[in-house]
């Protein structure tokens, strides 16, 4: 896996020619005393903290001797996406950004600009008559924001889909009364006082509930997960089969 990061590492080194190894303590101290606070970088705050812990060898050691591990780092968003693919993959195409498989394009080729507008929607339904776009979001429902909506709407527009899904991990104790939330796209403008929603263009935030009861055994947890997975698949596939 580290070999795959070599290009990225080389780019970082190339972009920071003045950095020297003995500057590490100064950089760490500066990051600790000046954490990211600007709203634009809010998604990087946790990453900054994790990097500091790794560099300071804090809480990233597991085991002893031959079983000693210096740290575990995994891509939770990718893992969630592949997990969802196991559930709905029979009914959806699944472009893969990491491997470049199944890339789609927003625009037709134009001279040397054929790479412009390359996109990788998480899931595109195989039913071309009632196309659905599904996006796997590994984050709480409250963190699904404007840029997420713009992205999935662009995908829906590109593939003539009138229905889109956000599939996210839901909590039993979430404040939302219902893990499924339907949103209808507006039309019209406030300037002309004619804003109204369109009945046939819908985005649904669909939560897959992850059991978090402390008293559950592994077998009980597995049984509940299977029921929740079945319900999620039924919600998506029913919409695809029945229509909008």
């Amino acid at each position: 896996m580290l070999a795959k990061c070599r290009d990225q590492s080389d780019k970082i080194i190339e972009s920071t020619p003045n950095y020297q190894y003995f500057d590490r303590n100064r950089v760490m101290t500066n990051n600790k005393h000046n954490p990211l606070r600007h709203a634009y970088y809010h998604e990087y705050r946790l990453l900054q903290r994790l990097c500091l812990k790794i560099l300071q060898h804090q809480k990233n050691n597991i085991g002893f001797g031959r079983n000693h591990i210096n740290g575990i780092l995994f891509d939770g968003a990718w893992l969630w996406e592949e997990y969802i693919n196991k559930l709905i993959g029979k009914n959806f195409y699944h472009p893969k950004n990491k491997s470049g498989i199944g890339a789609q394009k927003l625009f037709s080729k134009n001279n040397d600009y054929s790479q412009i507008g390359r996109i990788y929607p998480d899931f595109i339904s195989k039913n071309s008559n009632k196309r659905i776009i599904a996006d796997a979001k590994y984050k709480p429902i409250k963190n699904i924001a404007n840029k997420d909506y713009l992205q999935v709407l662009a995908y829906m527009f590109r593939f003539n889909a009138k229905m889109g899904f956000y599939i996210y991990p839901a909590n039993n104790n979430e404040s939302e009364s219902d893990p499924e939330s339907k949103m209808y796209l507006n039309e019209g403008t406030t300037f002309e006082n004619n804003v109204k929603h369109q009945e046939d263009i819908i985005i649904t935030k669909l939560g897959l509930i992850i059991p978090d009861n402390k008293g559950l055994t592994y077998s009980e947890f597995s049984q509940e997960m299977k029921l929740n997975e079945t319900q999620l698949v039924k919600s998506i596939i029913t919409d695809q089969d029945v229509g909008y």
Side-chain angles (χ1 to χ4, degrees):
M1 290 297 293
L2 292 177
K4 296 181 179 179
C5 299
R6 187 168 300 162
D7 290 341
Q8 289 84 347
S9 299
D10 291 341
K11 289 180 180 178
I12 293 174
I13 294 172
E14 182 180 346
S15 301
T16 55
N18 296 327
Y19 174 77
Q20 300 294 331
Y21 178 79
F22 54 78
D23 290 332
R24 178 175 295 182
N25 287 333
R26 177 178 59 80
V27 173
M28 289 166 53
T29 301
N30 182 56
N31 275 266
K32 285 191 292 184
H33 293 165
N34 300 285
L36 293 172
R37 290 190 174 90
H38 195 287
Y40 183 81
Y41 300 102
H42 74 279
E43 293 183 350
Y44 295 93
R45 290 173 184 167
L46 293 178
L47 178 60
Q48 183 188 39
R49 295 173 190 170
L50 175 61
C51 291
L52 284 172
K53 286 184 177 295
I54 292 174
L55 290 172
Q56 297 174 103
H57 302 285
Q58 293 180 353
K59 298 182 179 180
N60 64 321
N61 296 306
I62 302 174
F64 301 93
R66 296 178 60 185
N67 296 322
H68 180 77
I69 300 175
N70 288 320
I72 298 175
L73 188 63
F74 65 93
D75 188 340
W78 172 84
L79 194 61
W80 175 255
E81 184 179 317
E82 295 305 309
Y83 165 52
I84 297 300
N85 184 49
K86 291 288 186 181
L87 301 179
I88 67 174
K90 290 183 179 180
N91 297 84
F92 285 81
Y93 302 114
H94 178 38
K96 298 185 178 182
N97 192 5
K98 284 183 175 292
S99 57
I101 297 175
Q104 306 296 306
K105 293 182 179 179
L106 289 174
F107 311 106
S108 299
K109 292 183 178 181
N110 182 15
N111 297 329
D112 295 330
Y113 299 98
S114 60
Q115 301 303 316
I116 292 178
R118 177 172 289 194
I119 56 174
Y120 292 89
D122 289 347
F123 300 99
I124 307 169
S125 70
K126 295 179 180 179
N127 187 338
S128 59
N129 295 321
K130 301 171 183 176
R131 191 78 77 187
I132 291 175
I133 298 296
D135 196 17
K137 289 295 182 189
Y138 186 64
K139 55 183 179 181
I141 186 173
K142 293 180 180 179
N143 289 356
I144 299 177
N146 284 347
K147 63 181 181 181
D148 299 313
Y149 302 135
L150 292 175
Q151 182 186 56
V152 80
L153 281 171
Y155 292 160
M156 290 168 64
F157 180 71
R158 162 63 178 82
F159 296 101
N160 297 319
K162 293 188 176 182
M163 181 165 288
F165 282 94
Y166 286 113
I167 306 173
Y168 68 96
N171 191 301
N172 286 58
N173 300 317
E174 281 185 326
S175 59
E176 289 80 12
S177 59
D178 188 347
E180 180 175 331
S181 176
K182 291 184 180 294
M183 301 177 295
Y184 298 83
L185 184 66
N186 276 336
E187 63 179 357
T189 72
T190 56
F191 301 106
E192 298 169 350
N193 196 29
N194 60 352
V195 175
K196 62 179 181 179
H197 70 265
Q198 303 180 52
E199 293 286 349
D200 61 340
I201 302 180
I202 307 169
I203 293 179
T204 301
K205 292 185 285 189
L206 185 62
L208 173 56
I209 297 177
I210 312 299
D212 60 354
N213 302 331
K214 294 181 179 179
L216 286 179
T217 65
Y218 178 75
S219 59
E220 291 171 338
F221 174 85
S222 299
Q223 185 175 2
E224 282 199 32
M225 277 302 302
K226 289 179 180 178
L227 292 174
N228 295 341
E229 290 170 350
T230 301
Q231 183 58 46
L232 178 133
V233 173
K234 186 183 298 183
S235 297
I236 296 176
I237 303 306
T238 298
D239 280 326
Q240 180 175 249
D241 291 340
V242 174
Y244 307 132

